[in-house]
Amino acid sequence: METRLFLHTKILALAARARRLVQVDYASVGIRPQDIPYAPSPAHFRAANRRLAKIDQETQRRLEQVKQTWKTAPPDRVLRDIALVEREVDRSRRAFGLFFEVFGQRGTTFAPALAAHDVIAVDCYAPIRQAAPALFRGPLLKPVCYMEHGFSPATMRRGIQLNRLLGEQNPFPIIRIPWDRDNPWQAVFLHEVAHNLQADLGIWQENRRAVLERTLRFTGDPTVTRTYATWHKEIFADLAAILLGGPSAAWGMAVFLAHPAPRTMTFRPGGAHPTAYLRILILAEMLRQIGFGAEGDRLQRVWQTLYNPNRAHRIPATLLQTADTVIPQIVDEIAFQTRRNLGQKALVNIIPFSRDDERAIQAGARQLVQGRVPTDLPPRFLVGASSYALATGQTSPRQLSQRVITHLTRLNTRSASTLAEAQAAVRTAISTVA
């Protein structure tokens, strides 16, 4: 009898925790009326609440089962059933914690920068919607940015099952920005958005298969083929970032990857990212193939002045020996060959980038140096314009960042103009289970 009472006490304590974290709203994450312009949309809150509601439904189902059997079932069985309830409570806690962490930052001093990056991310979808409007199946919740520790940005794609959430699917793209990389000239941010584009376009497997076949056909080397197939997602994101931002994106990635030679010249077996030395050669080739040959040659010249395999390297000989042959083939395959899931268009067709675009970015950079923001420049192009302006050394980085962020946050309009309206929108359909 004492054992049953003990188990009952544990069940009561578990039941008291089971419904503590089933809803997230503006107030619960500390978003005030003045923070609404920077906050995720009510649709994002609804998506989060649908995910929490689904977990809660399973939690309550298992909890009811325990309540019905604890008096008669063997104690070991009761403990196992309790453990399954605790697993669902843990899942709820992790999901709530993720949404709290991501949404709650919009009530801090970092909110304007995060909202500005949201605008850039959304604009990266714009050329695809214009060039191939039917590719995306209906409306998509936009990416939401948040800040965290870590050296580089990262992304959690829409629909992916997250270990952090014990296998729960992520309801919308989340892009992590390191605390010190919240300035609007980080080309690597375009790379992270490109990962989400590739996932939303549904071409992961099609792209990998094409890279495998092309590489094997031109090298006949299974090891080289497997390596480039492993790298295909990162190469796609790099090439798409160039189409989103132009040559400045390639230079920005080079700045990001420029480290002492032992790191840049070392191959990591099984790593998803191309060896940095080869990675920039791939970007230089992309510039040449989209018509920016002089920029591509200049980038490669600078890179190979810094890093010379003849001095020292830890890269398999076959990768170096085949690079001149393979890299142009890989760039052509990923960027210029048509894909079924792209409606028989190529990446360069759905994210076109022209010399006129580059001229607009360069003109925007000159305006930024003069203290003005080019209001007619698409947000994704402001990344390159800001990086060019910074590189002149003629403008204060802090003032440059503030001007661009202020401009972008003005574009981040909200349909819910007051906290009460926003809260009402969030509460709509919170009981709906995805």
Side-chain angles (χ1 to χ4, degrees):
M1 188 63 180
E2 290 178 343
T3 301
R4 295 289 176 181
L5 289 174
F6 174 82
L7 292 174
H8 187 231
T9 300
K10 183 174 177 65
I11 293 169
L12 290 174
L14 184 58
R17 289 193 290 122
R19 306 211 73 181
R20 289 278 292 113
L21 305 173
V22 298
Q23 180 182 335
V24 61
D25 58 23
Y26 284 73
S28 67
V29 300
I31 293 178
R32 304 158 298 178
Q34 62 265 37
D35 302 322
I36 292 295
Y38 315 120
S41 72
H44 287 89
F45 279 88
R46 287 195 295 271
N49 282 321
R50 283 194 296 269
R51 180 64 59 206
L52 292 170
K54 184 177 180 181
I55 300 171
D56 180 56
Q57 185 181 61
E58 180 64 15
T59 303
Q60 294 306 311
R61 185 186 71 80
R62 292 188 178 277
L63 186 59
E64 285 303 313
Q65 181 179 353
V66 172
K67 288 179 178 179
Q68 293 172 10
T69 60
W70 72 271
K71 290 182 180 180
T72 57
D76 284 348
R77 168 67 183 277
V78 176
L79 287 172
R80 287 197 298 270
D81 289 346
I82 289 174
L84 292 175
V85 178
E86 289 184 322
R87 182 187 66 180
E88 299 307 317
V89 173
D90 187 24
R91 200 188 306 275
S92 177
R93 179 171 58 246
R94 288 167 180 248
F96 182 91
L98 175 64
F99 297 135
F100 186 93
E101 181 179 359
V102 172
F103 294 166
Q105 291 186 3
R106 301 310 175 97
T108 72
T109 57
F110 293 99
L114 292 171
H117 282 80
D118 288 353
V119 173
I120 295 171
V122 170
D123 189 58
C124 290
Y125 284 72
I128 300 176
R129 294 190 184 280
Q130 183 174 358
L135 285 183
F136 295 124
R137 299 169 183 171
L140 294 172
L141 278 178
K142 72 177 185 180
V144 174
C145 301
Y146 82 111
M147 303 185 74
E148 197 181 66
H149 64 278
F151 173 75
S152 66
T155 195
M156 290 177 272
R157 302 182 303 277
R158 187 191 322 273
I160 193 172
Q161 292 182 328
L162 300 177
N163 291 334
R164 175 175 179 174
L165 302 184
L166 298 181
E168 280 296 306
Q169 288 188 347
N170 188 33
F172 44 80
I174 299 174
I175 301 176
R176 180 189 76 190
I177 301 173
W179 291 105
D180 59 333
R181 292 190 183 276
D182 61 332
N183 292 308
W185 51 73
Q186 308 285 346
V188 70
F189 181 74
L190 299 179
H191 168 98
E192 296 304 329
V193 179
H195 276 309
N196 291 295
L197 288 174
Q198 188 179 20
D200 287 338
L201 289 167
I203 56 174
W204 292 97
Q205 297 305 321
E206 192 177 2
N207 194 59
R208 180 180 183 276
R209 186 168 55 252
V211 169
L212 270 169
E213 294 173 355
R214 184 82 171 254
T215 309
L216 187 60
R217 186 163 70 249
F218 277 86
T219 67
D221 188 320
T223 300
V224 173
T225 299
R226 283 194 300 270
T227 299
Y228 278 95
T230 301
W231 290 347
H232 81 94
K233 290 183 287 188
E234 298 299 330
I235 296 175
F236 176 96
D238 281 350
L239 303 189
I242 289 178
L243 295 173
L244 291 168
S248 65
W251 285 101
M253 290 299 297
V255 169
F256 179 75
L257 293 170
H259 298 291
R263 177 170 177 176
T264 303
M265 304 296 288
T266 295
F267 170 76
R268 297 188 66 179
H273 295 81
T275 303
Y277 173 71
L278 296 174
R279 191 171 179 181
I280 299 306
L281 300 187
I282 294 171
L283 298 187
E285 178 62 24
M286 178 63 171
L287 289 178
R288 285 190 283 265
Q289 290 199 26
I290 64 171
F292 293 87
E295 281 295 296
D297 291 343
R298 188 161 72 94
L299 175 60
Q300 183 162 333
R301 188 166 57 250
V302 168
W303 197 246
Q304 291 185 320
T305 299
L306 291 171
Y307 307 106
N308 186 342
N310 294 327
R311 292 197 289 264
H313 70 85
R314 300 191 191 100
I315 304 173
T318 53
L319 284 177
L320 286 176
Q321 292 164 1
T322 59
D324 288 346
T325 300
V326 173
I327 286 176
Q329 300 300 326
I330 294 296
V331 170
D332 178 78
E333 187 61 52
I334 293 177
F336 291 86
Q337 296 303 311
T338 61
R339 294 284 181 266
R340 183 176 59 255
N341 277 2
L342 299 184
Q344 297 302 341
K345 292 185 176 184
L347 183 62
V348 293
N349 300 134
I350 66 168
I351 312 178
F353 187 87
S354 67
R355 286 199 167 275
D356 286 343
D357 294 328
E358 177 63 10
R359 280 190 283 269
I361 292 172
Q362 295 278 1
R366 290 191 291 272
Q367 291 185 56
L368 289 171
V369 170
Q370 295 166 2
R372 296 181 287 113
V373 177
T375 57
D376 58 340
L377 198 63
R380 66 187 185 277
F381 289 171
L382 276 170
V383 177
S386 298
S387 68
Y388 286 148
L390 180 70
T392 66
Q394 299 175 20
T395 182
S396 161
R398 183 178 180 83
Q399 292 177 357
L400 171 63
S401 181
Q402 288 179 339
R403 281 197 297 270
V404 174
I405 287 172
T406 298
H407 165 69
L408 290 172
T409 55
R410 288 173 182 155
L411 303 178
N412 192 42
T413 57
R414 277 289 162 271
S415 59
S417 59
T418 69
L419 183 60
E421 292 171 357
Q423 293 283 42
V426 168
R427 291 193 179 98
T428 301
I430 63 171
S431 60
T432 302
V433 178

